[in-house]
Structures are given as structure tokens and as C-alpha cells.
Amino acid sequence: MASQDMPSQYDTGMQPPGPSGGLLQNLKSSMQINLDIFREPRGVMRIIHFVFSLFAIISICSYDNEVTFSVKCPPPAPANVVKFPYDYPFKLDHLSRQVACTHPADRYLTLYGDFSSDAEFFVAVGVLSLLGAAAAAAGYALYEAKYQSNPLIPLADFGGTALLALLWLSASAAWANGLSGIKHSTDPGILMRTVQCAKDDFCTTVTTGSFSGLNTSVILGFLNFFLWTADLWFVYKETPWFKMRQQPLDQQIN
């Protein structure tokens, strides 16, 4: 009696699993929650990265300040105060205010300087670090076994950490230069020498606010660079480069 073959998935009309389904199935099968990684330096550093990246973003995006002009109008109009509030992304040259004098030729005051590129670069690196730290921490907690078994994953982790450290250095240096430009543009001595303020003693006094918040953002930027650079050692210890160097030492000891 001839044996009867079992129908395959193609005979029964079932569709074979696609490559995306196979990849998703592999990820699900290798997923295993391991919170012990956050007791190790590698896991702790990712939490620190997340927190300090968030602080750096908040310090620059929540900052606001203003430049105040005390304006002397032609008689008989009284003096009035003109305020220029500014915040992130610090496009100072987009600010313009009309001086409400009774003189027929009303005057306009404007600031100068656009520092948005430096500020936005700094925030973009902060957001990228925030997402990178969160993704790395989730990967450690869920796929630590796969992380240890596949040598390419630690290498990618090391490369990403080195890249973010370099980006923090570049962004912090750029933002420090941008902050220096903001301070120069809003300096009372500089503003009083502009054409708008010097003509006919148009501006009598100028006041500016504190830059402590922005100074803090620069400090946090360089601190993030230090933290990501320091983490390179802990990630490097998981790479094949470090493990290959350890093998001859272990053989000598044995």
C-alpha cells in the first residue's frame, strides 16, 4: 500500500512566512527580560546618559530672556520702554519693535544675529542621545543573550557610543560659540553703539537678563561628552577586540 504524502502549506493554500515575519519571530524567541544589567556599569551609564541628555535639552529649550530699551522720544512725547523677549532657537535678527512716539517718523528697533543653527544642532544631538540611550537600555534588558552571542552587536554599540561622544563635543563647542555671540549681540555697550541707539540719543538705557540657564546648558553639553566617552570603556569590554586580548592572558595564567 503506497504511503500518502501529507499536504504541504502550499497545497493547503497557506502562505509561507516572509522574511519580516521570520525576523520578528526570531526577535520574539530571543527576548528575555534581564534587569540585572542595570546593576552593571554598562546599564547604569545608559540611564545616566538618558537623564543628562534630557537635562541638556530642557536647559536650552526652557530658557527665555529679554532685552529692554528705555527710549527717549522727541518732545512732547514721554519716554517709553521697548522689550525684546527671545528664546530658543535664538533668531535675534527676526525681532523688531516699533517705538510708539508721537513723532511722524516712528522708529523701529531691531537686534542682530541668528544663532539658531548652533542651538538646533545642540538640541538635535540631545534628542538623538536620548533615543540612543533608551534604545540601548531596552536592548540590554530584552536581548542581553543575543548581545553576548553575536559579536557584531557589541561592535555596533561601541561605534554608536563613540559617534555620540563626538557629536556631543562638536555640538557643545558650537553652542558655546553661539552663546558667546548672543552675549555679544545683547551687550548694552554694543547695542548703544548701533545706529538705532546712537542717533539723537534715541536709546537712553539698555538692560539685559541673566545667562545662567544657557551657561548651564553648555556645561551639561560638555558633561554629556565626558559621560559618553567614559562609557566607551565599558562597551569596549564587551567587544571581540577586548575578549581576544584577554584570551592570551588567561592562557598564560593557566
Side-chain angles (χ1 to χ4, degrees):
M1 182 176 179
S3 60
Q4 187 175 6
D5 296 335
M6 295 295 293
S8 66
Q9 60 183 354
Y10 304 104
D11 298 329
T12 58
M14 296 174 59
Q15 294 297 325
S20 60
L23 177 61
L24 184 60
Q25 187 66 29
N26 290 335
L27 290 176
K28 288 182 177 180
S29 61
S30 61
M31 182 184 298
Q32 185 177 3
I33 299 178
N34 176 25
L35 299 181
D36 291 338
I37 188 64
F38 297 113
R39 298 179 181 179
E40 301 179 10
R42 181 163 48 97
V44 172
M45 288 299 292
R46 294 310 185 192
I47 298 177
I48 295 175
H49 291 159
F50 184 91
V51 172
F52 279 90
S53 297
L54 182 62
F55 284 167
I57 296 172
I58 293 175
S59 65
I60 184 173
C61 291
S62 63
Y63 176 85
D64 58 73
N65 201 349
E66 66 179 18
V67 176
T68 303
F69 293 85
S70 179
V71 182
K72 183 174 65 176
C73 295
N80 60 84
V81 175
V82 180
K83 295 183 179 181
F84 287 86
Y86 63 91
D87 53 12
Y88 177 84
F90 307 105
K91 296 183 178 181
L92 302 186
D93 58 356
H94 288 53
L95 302 175
S96 179
R97 293 292 185 272
Q98 184 179 15
V99 180
C101 294
T102 57
H103 194 275
D106 287 340
R107 301 173 188 256
Y108 285 85
L109 293 181
T110 58
L111 302 181
Y112 69 93
D114 185 349
F115 307 97
S116 59
S117 59
D118 295 333
E120 289 171 348
F121 179 38
F122 185 89
V123 172
V125 173
V127 172
L128 186 62
S129 298
L130 203 69
L131 298 176
Y140 295 161
L142 298 177
Y143 301 103
E144 180 63 14
K146 198 171 188 64
Y147 185 97
Q148 297 295 338
S149 62
N150 189 340
L152 295 179
I153 299 179
L155 290 176
D157 191 18
F158 181 84
T161 303
L163 176 62
L164 283 170
L166 181 61
L167 286 175
W168 269 119
L169 177 61
S170 303
S172 300
W175 175 229
N177 180 71
L179 177 56
S180 177
I182 294 175
K183 292 179 179 179
H184 179 80
S185 299
T186 58
D187 180 79
I190 300 298
L191 289 172
M192 291 301 294
R193 289 199 298 267
T194 63
V195 176
Q196 298 171 345
C197 293
K199 185 177 181 181
D200 300 328
D201 293 328
F202 188 49
C203 298
T204 56
T205 60
V206 182
T207 59
T208 58
S210 172
F211 292 97
S212 59
L214 295 186
N215 291 333
T216 301
S217 68
V218 173
I219 295 173
L220 287 172
F222 283 107
L223 179 60
N224 274 287
F225 161 69
F226 170 78
L227 291 173
W228 282 90
T229 304
D231 193 33
L232 285 173
W233 169 247
F234 302 113
V235 179
Y236 171 71
K237 292 176 67 176
E238 305 296 328
T239 63
W241 303 328
F242 180 81
K243 293 180 179 179
M244 285 188 297
R245 291 184 59 184
Q246 289 296 106
Q247 288 178 355
L249 295 177
D250 295 338
Q251 293 173 359
Q252 293 176 8
I253 295 175
N254 295 331

